[in-house]
């Protein structure tokens, strides 16, 4: 895909931005440079930081109260990158609802909400206003994961029969899982591997897990509505130097592996060899594995984390839909609902117990 720089877009969304913190500075404001965005205003409870971000990223107005920003500015859309209250509540859920009700489309960081109730309120506001909220589920937008999706939906791959996702995250002891502060990091991070599971596998209907008390690591068995089976390995306890992620999808005579988010190997079907007498592992080119990985030498956009981690692609998806007056296909409230259903299952289910997960569509 060819990228246009921000100033090259003929039509741009007039945007406000709530939140001038660490992640937004590193990853979201810089991503706007590649999107059809006209950044009009920055808002943060810390007005001096909001002013600094506005100066650096080109916004003309500064606020410390987002409601005042909504009243004073003529906007099409709002970006929300806030964090958590002291009691562990997601700050952006209610702000997103206020922005929808002010008639604006909303792009927000995960977590969208900490409960299904929060998502249902946002969905009701979507229905009433005709505007939408999209969550930045970046894992659905990485070039690697987009490639995996296109491979596993191809005819030659066959039915995606099983799926494995690895991600480092600890789960607190069962008796602490009603405490939103103790569960904050689990909530914060489960959005990432669960977004991959949902994107590649669809809805999950059944799960059970085992839990290791020293690290809080878990290994989870999953059954998808499609009939595929899966495993989620949350590798708490791993080294700080280790890659975080590995994803594998197995089809029928084919499989695809993503290492470290950027190295994709597709083991194609067709190289069936009899056992015992083959003298070479080298197969015909037509059935040989395919490998994609970045070269990390050229000053290309694809070598920026803003692109290969999915930030710019997710923001472009948001902008394209906001400009066209359509609803996004990824990062939807239904996607977030599937993640919260899984989160709630971990929150309430003891290790070793199998539970069915409800189907939640948020229609
Ligand atoms: N997708 C990713 O890769 C990724 C990575 C890191 C963080 N995040 C997410 O980004 C979010 C922010 O993380 P962070 O580390 O930048 O947090 P942070 O605490 O550094 O920044 C949050 C900012 O929001 C401001 N804020 C809070 N409530 C506000 C309000 N009502 N009005 C205006 N400003 C308000 C705070 O003052 C703060 O400056 C979190 O939701 C986190 O989960 C996502």
């Amino acid at each position: 895909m060819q990228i246009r720089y921000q100033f090259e877009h003929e039509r741009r969304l007039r945007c406000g931005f709530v939140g001038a913190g660490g992640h937004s500075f590193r990853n979201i404001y810089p991503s706007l440079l590649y999107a059809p965005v006209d950044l009009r205003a920055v808002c943060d409870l810390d007005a001096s930081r909001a002013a600094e971000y506005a100066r650096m990223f080109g916004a003309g107005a500064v606020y410390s109260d987002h409601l005042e920003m909504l009243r004073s500015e003529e906007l099409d859309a709002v970006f929300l990158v806030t964090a958590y209250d002291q009691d562990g509540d997601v700050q952006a859920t209610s702000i997103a609802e206020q922005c929808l009700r002010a008639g604006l489309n909303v792009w927000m960081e995960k977590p969208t909400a900490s409960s299904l109730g929060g998502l249902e309120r946002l969905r009701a506001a979507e229905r009433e206003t005709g505007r939408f909220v999209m969550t930045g589920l970046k894992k659905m937008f990485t070039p690697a994961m987009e490639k995996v999706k296109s491979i596993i939906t191809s005819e030659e791959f066959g039915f995606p029969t099983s799926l494995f996702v690895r991600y480092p995250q600890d789960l607190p002891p069962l008796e602490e899982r009603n405490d939103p502060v103790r569960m904050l990091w689990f909530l914060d991070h489960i959005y990432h591997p669960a977004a991959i599971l949902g994107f590649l596998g669809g809805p999950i209907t059944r799960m059970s897990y085992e839990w290791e008390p020293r690290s809080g690591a878990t290994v989870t068995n999953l059954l998808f509505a499609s009939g595929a089976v899966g495993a989620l390995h949350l590798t708490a306890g791993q080294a700080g130097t280790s890659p975080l992620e590995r994803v594998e999808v197995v089809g029928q005579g084919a499989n695809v592996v993503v290492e470290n988010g950027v190295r994709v190997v597709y083991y194609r079907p067709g190289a069936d060899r009899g056992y015992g007498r083959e003298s070479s592992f080298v197969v015909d080119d037509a059935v040989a594995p395919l490998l994609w990985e970045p070269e990390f030498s050229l000053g290309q956009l694809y070598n920026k984390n803003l692109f290969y981690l999915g930030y710019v692609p997710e923001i472009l998806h948001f902008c394209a839909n906001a400009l066209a007056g359509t609803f996004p296909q990824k990062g939807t409230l239904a996607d977030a609902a599937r993640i919260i259903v899984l989160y709630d299952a971990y929150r309430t289910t003891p290790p070793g117990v199998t539970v069915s997960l409800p189907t939640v569509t948020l229609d």
Side-chain angles (χ1 to χ4, degrees), residues 18 20-23 44-45 49 82 91 109-110 138 188 311:
V18 182
H23 168 57
D44 196 286
L45 299 175
R49 233 189 10 251
T82 54
Q91 292 167 324
E109 254 308 342
K110 53 81 192 165
K138 66 177 181 183
D188 200 81
Y311 297 119

Side-chain angles (χ1 to χ4, degrees), residues 101-114:
R101 293 196 185 286
L104 307 180
N105 290 312
V106 178
W107 182 94
M108 67 190 293
E109 254 308 342
K110 53 81 192 165
T112 325
S114 59

Side-chain angles (χ1 to χ4, degrees), residues 138-139 164-169 189 192-193 196 232-236 238-247 258-262 309:
K138 66 177 181 183
K139 301 289 175 193
F164 168 84
V165 175
R166 170 201 205 280
Y167 198 88
Q169 177 56 43
H189 289 159
H192 289 318
I196 298 173
L232 175 58
H233 183 187
L234 296 181
T235 54
Q238 73 166 47
T241 48
S242 167
L244 276 62
E245 295 173 44
R246 178 178 298 124
V247 174
V258 185
E259 289 285 0
N260 203 19
V262 289
L309 292 185

Side-chain angles (χ1 to χ4, degrees), residues 15-50:
C15 294
F17 201 123
V18 182
H23 168 57
S24 60
F25 183 86
R26 289 190 299 275
N27 299 311
I28 306 303
Y29 286 99
S31 292
L32 302 183
L33 295 178
Y34 308 99
V37 164
D38 174 6
L39 187 63
R40 294 286 177 98
V42 172
C43 172
D44 196 286
L45 299 175
D46 180 339
S48 66
R49 233 189 10 251

Side-chain angles (χ1 to χ4, degrees), residues 97 100-101 121-131:
E97 186 178 350
L100 287 172
R101 293 196 185 286
R121 279 198 300 283
L122 290 177
R123 181 68 192 116
E126 277 190 344
R127 271 196 302 266
E128 285 162 37
T129 61
R131 299 289 184 263

